Amino acid sequence: LPRVLDALDDRDLGHRSMTLVAVATIRAETESFLPVSEGLSRYNTSPNGHAFDLYDHRADLGNQGPPDGERFRGRGFVQLTGRANYPTFGTRLGLDLVSEPQLANEPDTPAALLAEFLKSRELRIKAALLPGNLREARRLVNGGAPGLERFAEAYTIGDALLPP
């Protein structure tokens, strides 16, 4: 948590709403303050395919074919995914995540990646939060609604516990 809070502060995101989004994202994506690599699932691997084959040709992720799906699978607190995101956010942190994608799970990197990712969507996330649209806030971070229940639960609990 201290690394996440420091990374948010470094990017002027340490205010209440974005702190809640960051913590709720971690809850939805990794279930703890331990960064993880995305595991195999029916959403990323076909029944008879190789690991992450459903990601290999995803143009929306910038993937260009095997082995991009597995190489650029989700990592960290925000589950950074895809050939397009690794160099974009790696460059912002001064890291070569294309050559060394596993760096996305190294001690300080996941917090910094989460903060950079949230910063890149800050205005849209805040706009979604104004009317209380947690589904849209989640979509802006994840691209969909997976983990929405855990995200909303963590956000709501944090909202009740943190002073205004």
Side-chain angles (χ1 to χ4, degrees):
L1 180 60
R3 286 179 171 146
V4 171
L5 296 176
D6 287 346
L8 292 171
D9 284 340
D10 288 348
R11 290 154 184 88
D12 297 320
L13 294 173
H15 44 83
R16 189 174 191 277
S17 63
M18 293 306 282
T19 299
L20 289 171
V21 168
V23 172
T25 295
I26 291 168
R27 170 71 166 106
E29 298 286 348
T30 70
E31 301 285 338
S32 72
F33 283 96
L34 298 173
V36 298
S37 293
E38 182 177 7
L40 297 177
S41 76
R42 63 186 173 105
Y43 301 107
N44 58 37
T45 303
S46 61
N48 296 314
H50 63 270
F52 301 94
D53 66 321
L54 296 178
Y55 284 179
D56 282 337
H57 296 283
R58 292 261 314 263
D60 61 317
L61 297 175
N63 291 347
Q64 302 169 356
D68 281 3
E70 184 170 10
R71 183 169 179 77
F72 301 111
R73 68 183 178 267
R75 288 186 177 89
F77 292 138
V78 75
Q79 291 296 280
L80 185 71
T81 307
R83 178 179 275 278
N85 283 322
Y86 274 71
T88 298
F89 290 94
T91 298
R92 292 179 187 182
L93 300 180
L95 299 171
D96 183 0
L97 294 179
V98 174
S99 295
E100 298 181 82
Q102 72 282 359
L103 290 176
N105 280 341
E106 292 298 317
D108 290 321
T109 307
L113 282 170
L114 173 62
E116 281 294 328
F117 199 83
L118 294 178
K119 185 69 173 177
S120 73
R121 291 157 172 74
E122 178 183 15
L123 295 179
R124 291 180 287 162
I125 291 169
K126 286 180 176 179
L129 293 174
L130 281 174
N133 190 342
L134 295 180
R135 177 178 289 279
E136 177 63 7
R138 178 74 183 133
R139 187 195 66 74
L140 288 165
V141 175
N142 179 270
L148 176 61
E149 185 176 306
R150 290 182 309 278
F151 178 88
E153 177 185 46
Y155 189 95
T156 302
I157 291 170
D159 191 37
L161 293 175
L162 282 179

